[in-house]
Amino acid sequence: MKNIIEINQLNKSFGDVKAVQDLSFRVKEGELFAFLGVNGAGKSTTINIMCAQLSKDSGTVLIDGADLDRNTEHIKRKLGVVFQNSVLDSALSVHDNLQSRAALYGLTGAAFKKRLSELSKLLEFEELLKRPVGKLSGGQRRRIDIARSLLNRPKILILDEPTTGLDPQTRKILWNVISDLRKNENMTVFLTTHYMEEAAEADYVVILDSGKIVAEGTPLELKNTYTGDFITLYGVNEDTVKSLGMEYEQIRDAFRLSVSCTAKATELIIHNPDVFLDYEITKGKMDDVFLNVTGKKLEEGTDK
């Protein structure tokens, strides 16, 4: 797969605050790319630069082979963006919001009606078209934000915390749509999120801290590097667990042992067959990766 986004030595400061420091990464065409960091890590600053909403101090940004400095308007037409905060006009109806946005892409008349029909079915908002956006629930409004970003059939969809605060049903609808678009249109998705179960589904993950990359790789690579495995052991007493000489914690009706890797777990089980009669092995989660890499927990809120 070719690189559809190439960021090289990107820098951006606000006074004495270095929001982005010598940032370099690649995004492959068609992949789900997760861009993670605590609030203030530099995620939104990077996104705003990519979308030409903010000037950079130095570095290069190439999107679909085009240099952002020389091809700004061309690149903007390749992007669909869902920002943290909705950019819809609350006073206008859903239909009028989308119609005014579509007109910026030259999408009018029958072409707009066709695209609106496709998106309203895909995102399940056909019954909302005449309703003012200001009267919508948070989940309904988010569906319209997504529709707005998809009007121009973008090659790259940038999602800046798209599901924060949404109910599970709406989150499921949105991810089903995104999955279908990636599969059917080879659309690249650039995601920031505070939900680590979403990041765990990514093809590649970059973790930022204070504007710098502190870890990157596939979810599996990151788990293998920054967390161990866990063995949940059932049907034994605590004295038996203590005799294994392993770090453990009690959870409900079981004990959870921490081991450095799957090979160590296998070795432990083979050497203690009478103890490991009822158990399961799980890898550490992306939450564990993030905490071990940054020493911080993700929190919802506005980033810089």
Side-chain angles (χ1 to χ4, degrees), residues 16 26 53 60 62 78 81 128 145 148 202 210 227 274 293:
D16 295 331
R26 306 287 183 269
Q53 300 292 316
T60 60
L62 300 177
K78 302 278 187 177
V81 188
L128 303 177
D145 281 321
R148 179 183 182 277
S210 300
T227 72
D274 295 337
V293 168

Side-chain angles (χ1 to χ4, degrees), residues 14 19-20 35 38-51 53-54 83-84 160-161 190 192 208 301-304:
F14 299 95
V20 175
F35 198 52
V38 296
N39 297 329
K43 305 187 303 297
S44 290
T45 296
T46 303
I47 287 173
N48 285 331
I49 291 171
M50 289 167 56
C51 298
Q53 300 292 316
L54 186 66
F83 294 104
Q84 289 182 24
D160 197 1
E161 298 184 30
F190 187 103
T192 78
L208 290 186
T302 302
D303 182 33
K304 288 185 179 179

Side-chain angles (χ1 to χ4, degrees), residues 233-247:
L233 185 55
Y234 303 96
V236 297
N237 58 46
E238 189 166 3
D239 288 338
T240 300
V241 177
K242 284 182 179 178
S243 70
L244 296 171
M246 305 292 297
E247 182 182 344

Side-chain angles (χ1 to χ4, degrees), residues 82 88 94 98 101 115-116 119-120 123 125 141-154 174 177:
V82 178
L88 299 170
V94 169
L98 296 179
R101 180 62 180 179
R115 187 59 175 154
L116 179 63
L119 292 173
S120 62
L123 287 157
F125 63 85
R141 183 184 291 242
R142 209 53 167 161
R143 278 184 263 169
I144 312 308
D145 281 321
I146 298 282
R148 179 183 182 277
S149 72
L150 295 174
L151 282 166
N152 60 323
R153 299 185 185 276
L174 296 186
V177 169

Side-chain angles (χ1 to χ4, degrees), residues 229-232 259 261-262 265-266 269 276 279-283:
D229 286 12
F230 298 98
I231 309 173
T232 304
V259 290
C261 62
T262 305
T266 302
I269 292 165
F276 291 91
Y279 65 90
E280 57 184 342
I281 303 175
T282 57
K283 287 193 173 295

Side-chain angles (χ1 to χ4, degrees), residues 159-187:
L159 302 172
D160 197 1
E161 298 184 30
T163 58
T164 297
L166 297 187
D167 61 274
Q169 181 182 2
T170 302
R171 286 177 66 191
K172 183 177 180 180
I173 290 172
L174 296 186
W175 277 111
N176 285 343
V177 169
I178 291 165
S179 178
D180 287 345
L181 289 170
R182 290 185 60 219
K183 179 180 177 181
N184 298 325
E185 300 184 14
N186 197 34
M187 188 175 69

Side-chain angles (χ1 to χ4, degrees), residues 265-273 276:
T266 302
E267 180 182 338
L268 185 66
I269 292 165
I270 289 174
H271 284 89
N272 299 275
F276 291 91

